[in-house]
Amino acid sequence: MYEENNLDSKFNYKEWKKILGFVRPYRKLIIYLFISSIMLAFAIALYPMIARYALNNFIIVQTTDGLGYFIAFIIVVVLAQALFDIIWGAVAMRIDLGVGKDMRHTLFKHTQTLSIEYFNKTPVGFILARINHDTHSMGGMFSWMLGSAIDHVFYIVFALVNMFILSTTLAWIMLVIIIVLVIVTGYYQKRLIGLNRLTRSQNSLITAAYNENINGVQTIKSIGCEKLIKDYFDSVNNTMRSKTMAVDKVKRSFIFIVALLGGAGIALIIYASVPLVYQKLLDIGTLSAFISYSFAIIPRVEDLTYMINNTISLQANVERINSLMDSAPTVFDQQDIIDKYGDIYKPKYENWEPIKGDIEFCDVSFKYPQSDTYVLKNFSLKIPAGTSIAIVGQTGAGKSTLVNLICRFYEPTSGTILIDGIDYKKRSLLWLEDNLSYVLQSPHLFSGTIKENIKYKNPLASDEDMYTASKLAQAHNFIEKLDKGYETDVGQDGGKLSTGQKQLISIARALMANGKILILDEATSSVDTKTEQLINSITSEIKQDKTSFIIAHRLASVKSADIIIVVDSGNIVEMGNHKQLLSKHGLYYNMYTSQRFDDEQDKFFKEKNTL
Ligand SMILES: Nc1ncnc2c1ncn2[C@@H]1O[C@H](COP(=O)(O)OP(=O)(O)OP(=O)(O)O)[C@@H](O)[C@H]1O
Ligand SMILES: [Mg+2]
C-alpha cells in the first residue's frame, strides 16, 4: 500500500516558507485584508461603548439633548462597518480564489513534467487530493481564516483596552478568564484535531473501498465476491461511525465546558461589578459595556484557538503539496537542451531538426528504477530509417520495455540510444514526442467523442484526414454504423466501446499524429483476425516512410516485417526476416509452428462440426 512520507506534527517553518511563495503576489490584497479586518474589529468594538454612552447620557439622566447627533454617529459607524465588511469579503474572496487557482496551476504544470515512473508508483487519488483538496484548504486559510483571525485579535485588543480604561479590576478578571479559556480550548482543540485526522483517514478507506468496488465491479461480479466486499465495506463503515461518535462526544463535552467557563466568567464579572455599582465606583453604562464585551470576547477566544490548532493541522496539507512539488522528474531535458529546443510550453520549433528515423541501441542495459533486476542487458541494435521491426517473445520478455525506452518514458541505465546518429538526450523530449505515433498495449481513450479522440493531437485537422486515418485503421466502417457516427460519446475511458473498437480508434489517432516512428504494441490483440490482416496490409503501405515497431503475439501478423527480433529475458536471441528465422529451426520456428498447429486444429474441428 502506498504510504505518504511521515508528516511532521510540530510547526515547521521551512515547509510554510515554501508555500508562502504562492501568497506573495497577493501582498497588496493581504494588506487590504489587514486594514479592513482592523477597521471592522474597531467598528464592532465601538458598540458596547455606544450603548454605555446612551445609558449614561440619555437614559439615566432622562434627556434627549444631543440624541440627533448621537444617532447620526451610530449611522456613520454602521455604514462604516458595512463598508469594511464588503471590502473584507471581496478581498478575502480574491485571495482565496487567486491562491487556490495559482496553486492548482503550478501543481498541474509540475505534474505534467513528472516522468512515467512517478505515476507508476503514486496512486491517482494522492495527486487528485493535492490538486483539489489541499489547494482549496490553503486558499481558505490565507483569506477567510487569516481575515477572521486578524479581526478577532484586534477586537479582543480593543475590547481589553477599553475595559482597562473603564475598570482595571474587572479588566484583570476578564484577562484571567481569557487565559483559562485559551488553555482549556487549546487542550480540547488539539484532541479534536487528532481525532478528526483519524476519521479523515477512515474516510479515505471508505473512498478507496468505493473506488475499488466501482472500478472492479465486473471482476467482483465475475468471481462472485460481493459478500466479502460488502463485509469489508461494512467494517470500515462501522469503524467510521464509532470514530465519529468519539469525536462527537469530545466535541459535546468541549461545548459544555466552554459554556460553563464562559457563563462562570460572565457571572464573575457581574458578581464583582454589582458592589462597585452600589458603591458608585461603576456606572450602569460601564457595567453594560463589560457584559457585552465579555459575551463577545469568549466565542472569539474559542475561534482563535481553533484557528491556531487548525493552522498547525493544515501543515499536513502544506507538507503534502510540497512533497508533490519536490518530486523531480527522472527523465528531463538539461538546461542547454531547453535553451536550444525550448520546453513543453514554449517549444522553439525553429531549432528543431527534421527527423529521418534511424534508431540505434548502443550497449543498452536497463532496470526499472525501483527494481534490482535488469530487463535489458547490453542490448545493441541498429535500425535504419524506414525499416519495419517486429518484436516477438514471451510474456514479460521485455518487448514493451524496449519501445518505452525508444519513447524516452525511461532512459537507459547504461548505454545510449541514438536517433539519426545523435544521442536522443541531446534533443528535447517534446521533439521526440512530436515524432512518435504510439499505440499503447492498453489503449486509453479520453472522455468525449470519437472525433475528438482521433483528432486529439490536432483538433483543427480536417475531417477528410480523419476519415483517411480511420479507414486505414479499419475503424471507419464500424464508426459509420454507430447512431451518432464520429460524434458518438466514447464514455469513461471508452467504456461504451468494445476493446477491439478502442484499439482501432487508437490506431486511427496514432495514424493522424503521423509521427516518423510508429509503434504498435499489441495494438490489434483484441481485433478479429480478418481485420488484423487488413490493418497489417494497409499499415505496411504507411510504414514505408516510417520506422515502425510492431509487437504482437500472433506471429501471422508480423510475417511481413523487414526484421523480426525474438527477445527472451531482455536479450535478442534470434533476428532476421520470417523466412530466415523459420530456417533456423529455433525459438521463432517453435513459436510459429505451435501457433500454426493450433490454427490447423481449430480449422479441423470446425470442418468436422459442420459435416
Ligand atoms: N514499471 C515497472 N517497474 C518494474 N518492473 C517492471 C515495470 N514494467 C515492467 N516491469 C518488468 O519488466 C519485465 C519486462 O516487462 P515488459 O512489459 O517489457 O514485458 P513484455 O515483453 O512487454 O510482456 P507482455 O507480452 O506481457 O506485454 C517484466 O519482468 C516486468 O515485470
Ligand atoms: Mg508488453
Side-chain angles (χ1 to χ4, degrees):
M1 205 169 129
Y2 179 78
E3 279 183 27
E4 292 174 17
N5 298 336
N6 274 340
L7 301 172
D8 233 330
S9 54
K10 285 193 205 123
F11 187 78
N12 185 338
Y13 175 66
K14 269 193 198 154
E15 295 286 345
W16 285 93
K17 205 175 153 193
K18 288 189 203 164
I19 285 287
L20 286 179
F22 288 102
V23 188
R24 218 159 282 140
Y26 299 92
R27 277 187 303 253
K28 237 185 187 169
L29 285 178
I30 291 193
I31 293 172
Y32 294 151
L33 188 72
F34 251 87
I35 297 171
S36 55
S37 304
I38 294 171
M39 297 310 285
L40 204 57
F42 183 69
I44 299 172
L46 273 181
Y47 289 119
M49 297 305 275
I50 289 174
R52 173 179 178 264
Y53 188 88
L55 276 171
N56 287 350
N57 296 290
F58 300 114
I59 295 166
I60 292 176
V61 292
Q62 298 197 344
T63 173
T64 53
D65 284 354
L67 192 60
Y69 290 115
F70 184 67
I71 300 288
F73 175 70
I74 294 178
I75 292 172
V76 170
V77 174
V78 171
L79 286 178
Q81 186 204 335
L83 179 73
F84 288 121
D85 214 1
I86 291 170
I87 297 175
W88 187 89
V91 170
M93 183 60 98
R94 271 163 200 247
I95 301 173
D96 182 7
L97 298 181
V99 170
K101 186 195 94 196
D102 292 355
M103 274 188 175
R104 281 192 295 277
H105 167 83
T106 313
L107 287 187
F108 189 85
K109 200 170 151 190
H110 179 70
T111 318
Q112 280 195 309
T113 65
L114 293 174
S115 313
I116 303 282
E117 185 203 339
Y118 181 82
F119 298 98
N120 277 346
K121 66 177 187 211
T122 318
V124 184
F126 173 87
I127 304 168
L128 291 185
R130 297 308 66 88
I131 292 181
N132 269 328
H133 175 256
D134 289 346
T135 53
H136 182 69
S137 317
M138 288 296 109
M141 197 194 89
F142 289 112
S143 51
W144 307 106
M145 200 161 101
L146 179 66
S148 303
I150 303 165
D151 167 80
H152 288 4
V153 167
F154 278 89
Y155 182 89
I156 295 170
V157 170
F158 290 141
L160 278 176
V161 168
N162 284 340
M163 285 169 131
F164 271 103
I165 293 171
L166 300 174
S167 164
T168 325
T169 328
L170 292 185
W172 276 115
I173 295 177
M174 189 68 225
L175 203 60
V176 171
I177 295 170
I178 291 177
I179 292 168
V180 174
L181 257 178
V182 168
I183 295 170
V184 174
T185 321
Y187 166 76
Y188 268 100
Q189 294 289 4
K190 211 169 180 177
R191 269 192 74 188
L192 275 174
I193 282 169
L195 286 170
N196 274 332
R197 266 191 186 180
L198 289 181
T199 51
R200 241 182 291 158
S201 65
Q202 195 63 27
N203 202 22
S204 310
L205 287 181
I206 292 189
T207 318
Y210 251 118
N211 198 17
E212 290 276 291
N213 193 26
I214 294 166
N215 283 333
V217 64
Q218 230 164 335
T219 315
I220 292 169
K221 286 194 188 299
S222 67
I223 48 178
C225 60
E226 284 96 335
K227 183 170 173 340
L228 209 72
I229 300 280
K230 186 194 132 296
D231 288 349
Y232 171 72
F233 186 80
D234 283 348
S235 85
V236 281
N237 203 15
N238 286 336
T239 318
M240 175 76 183
R241 181 183 172 276
S242 54
K243 286 197 170 150
T244 315
M245 292 276 280
V247 175
D248 191 57
K249 227 168 158 182
V250 177
K251 238 186 217 167
R252 259 179 296 149
S253 72
F254 165 64
I255 292 169
F256 176 72
I257 298 225
V258 168
L260 208 70
L261 269 176
I266 291 167
L268 197 66
I269 295 259
I270 296 173
Y271 179 77
S273 54
V274 171
L276 295 177
V277 175
Y278 282 146
Q279 291 159 28
K280 301 226 179 295
L281 293 171
L282 198 74
D283 53 63
I284 294 284
T286 308
L287 175 66
S288 134
F290 261 89
I291 294 174
S292 302
Y293 279 137
S294 311
F295 273 114
I297 285 178
I298 288 166
R300 283 178 168 80
V301 172
E302 283 168 38
D303 259 15
L304 269 177
T305 38
Y306 167 77
M307 286 178 205
I308 293 168
N309 279 334
N310 197 28
T311 308
I312 295 171
S313 81
L314 277 176
Q315 183 165 296
N317 304 48
V318 172
E319 285 173 31
R320 283 189 295 237
I321 290 179
N322 287 338
S323 97
L324 176 55
M325 284 302 295
D326 291 345
S327 355
T330 43
V331 176
F332 56 93
D333 291 329
Q334 297 292 343
Q335 193 52 49
D336 55 330
I337 302 296
I338 296 175
D339 292 343
K340 182 170 177 195
Y341 295 100
D343 62 11
I344 48 175
Y345 301 106
K346 278 193 193 140
K348 295 183 181 166
Y349 293 116
E350 65 278 11
N351 295 337
W352 284 19
E353 295 90 354
I355 187 169
K356 260 173 58 209
D358 289 327
I359 298 174
E360 187 175 356
F361 284 77
C362 303
D363 203 21
V364 170
S365 294
F366 176 74
K367 61 184 170 71
Y368 281 96
Q370 314 259 302
S371 154
D372 293 330
T373 333
Y374 275 89
V375 182
L376 294 182
K377 266 193 227 140
N378 307 105
F379 188 90
S380 293
L381 181 67
K382 200 168 179 173
I383 306 155
T387 314
S388 65
I389 305 272
I391 309 171
V392 300
Q394 284 165 345
T395 293
K399 304 182 293 293
S400 298
T401 306
L402 204 70
V403 287
N404 284 345
L405 283 171
I406 297 175
C407 300
R408 234 180 127 189
F409 291 164
Y410 298 91
E411 284 173 352
T413 313
S414 66
T416 44
I417 294 176
L418 312 181
I419 293 185
D420 296 345
I422 295 173
D423 184 349
Y424 71 171
K425 293 188 201 170
K426 299 258 183 282
R427 259 94 169 244
S428 74
L429 276 162
L430 194 66
W431 173 85
L432 180 61
E433 282 171 21
D434 202 56
N435 286 305
L436 284 174
S437 293
Y438 187 178
V439 181
L440 296 169
Q441 185 161 13
S442 31
H444 171 80
L445 294 191
F446 298 95
S447 308
T449 62
I450 293 180
K451 190 183 204 171
E452 284 163 347
N453 266 285
I454 299 181
K455 289 189 185 180
Y456 201 77
K457 187 175 174 187
N458 180 12
L460 298 177
S462 72
D463 282 357
E464 273 59 46
D465 286 352
M466 176 181 74
Y467 297 142
T468 313
S470 306
K471 279 176 189 162
L472 288 170
Q474 305 304 308
H476 185 71
N477 282 348
F478 97 80
I479 297 173
E480 286 279 84
K481 280 189 200 136
L482 296 171
D483 282 348
K484 293 189 182 162
Y486 281 85
E487 300 298 335
T488 307
D489 180 52
V490 300
Q492 165 79 18
D493 194 14
K496 292 184 187 169
L497 299 171
S498 77
T499 313
Q501 290 170 335
K502 269 166 70 170
Q503 287 189 331
L504 299 185
I505 292 176
S506 306
I507 296 174
R509 181 173 57 198
L511 296 181
M512 271 296 271
N514 199 22
K516 265 281 188 207
I517 302 171
L518 174 70
I519 300 171
L520 304 174
D521 187 354
E522 296 280 346
T524 49
S525 58
S526 298
V527 172
D528 64 80
T529 328
K530 200 172 146 224
T531 315
E532 188 181 30
Q533 276 165 1
L534 276 172
I535 294 175
N536 283 332
S537 61
I538 290 161
T539 41
S540 54
E541 277 170 41
I542 307 160
K543 281 185 304 194
Q544 276 170 7
D545 69 328
K546 293 185 195 307
T547 311
S548 58
F549 294 83
I550 295 181
I551 300 176
H553 278 294
R554 272 189 232 158
L555 299 188
S557 58
V558 300
K559 269 176 14 188
S560 60
D562 298 331
I563 307 172
I564 300 169
I565 56 176
V566 185
V567 186
D568 189 26
S569 307
N571 288 312
I572 299 180
V573 286
E574 284 173 21
M575 190 161 118
N577 63 28
H578 179 66
K579 268 194 184 154
Q580 291 165 337
L581 287 181
L582 281 186
S583 63
K584 275 189 184 163
H585 283 252
L587 198 58
Y588 182 82
Y589 173 85
N590 290 338
M591 283 157 67
Y592 186 74
T593 45
S594 71
Q595 285 189 4
R596 282 287 303 245
F597 179 66
D598 287 345
D599 288 349
E600 293 294 325
Q601 258 188 345
D602 279 356
K603 224 162 114 192
F604 172 74
F605 283 118
K606 261 184 209 155
E607 276 166 12
K608 210 173 158 198
N609 284 339
T610 47
L611 282 177

